Amino acid sequence: MHELAVTESILNIAVKHAQQANASRVSEVYLVIGRLASIVDDSVQFYWEMMSEGTLCAGSKLHFQRVPAQLVCLNCGNDYMLDGELEPCPACGSAKVKVTSGDQFYLDSIEIEK
Ligand SMILES: [Zn+2]
């Protein structure tokens, strides 16, 4: 149910930007999702279609861009990127790692029609 709240907040932002730009409708919506964000694209798509009805975003297309996570090893200080599942430090094998980014989910840009 996590997706419901984030989808709603993204819809609000998109509608606000579209209104400020005097758009007649929003055609494309670009989203950025960190590799480690627990967001399911299909759920966001589902809520989007449901909630955008009757707004400037009705019928708009969602684009998802997954970005790699960034981690730092607390044992040896190694910084590394992660493009899959969480794994130990590639330099020393330590599992004591900290995620510095990778759980973000935000609206990157929208395309509008006037
Ligand atoms: Zn390490």
Side-chain angles (χ1 to χ4, degrees):
M1 288 310 285
H2 174 60
E3 281 88 351
L4 179 63
V6 291
T7 307
E8 189 174 22
S9 83
I10 279 174
L11 177 63
N12 289 338
I13 297 167
V15 167
K16 206 174 122 204
H17 281 293
Q19 282 167 344
Q20 281 168 353
N22 290 318
S24 61
R25 65 177 287 261
V26 175
S27 54
E28 317 283 330
V29 177
Y30 296 89
L31 304 170
V32 172
I33 307 182
R35 185 59 67 188
L36 299 175
S38 51
I39 297 282
V40 181
D41 299 8
D42 287 349
S43 300
V44 174
Q45 182 76 50
F46 173 78
Y47 289 128
W48 184 263
E49 282 167 18
M50 191 173 79
M51 288 191 289
S52 65
E53 234 180 70
T55 75
L56 288 173
C57 292
S60 59
K61 191 171 186 319
L62 290 182
H63 301 266
F64 297 93
Q65 192 201 346
R66 291 263 173 191
V67 294
Q70 187 112 38
L71 291 91
V72 61
C73 175
L74 297 178
N75 185 46
C76 73
N78 179 39
D79 269 310
Y80 61 105
M81 304 275 274
L82 193 67
D83 204 15
E85 293 301 303
L86 206 54
E87 58 184 56
C89 172
C92 73
S94 168
K96 272 195 197 160
V97 296
K98 193 170 148 242
V99 177
T100 51
S101 84
D103 56 358
Q104 67 271 60
F105 179 57
Y106 62 88
L107 178 66
D108 185 49
S109 61
I110 58 173
E111 277 176 33
I112 56 167
E113 288 171 14
K114 294 251 178 182

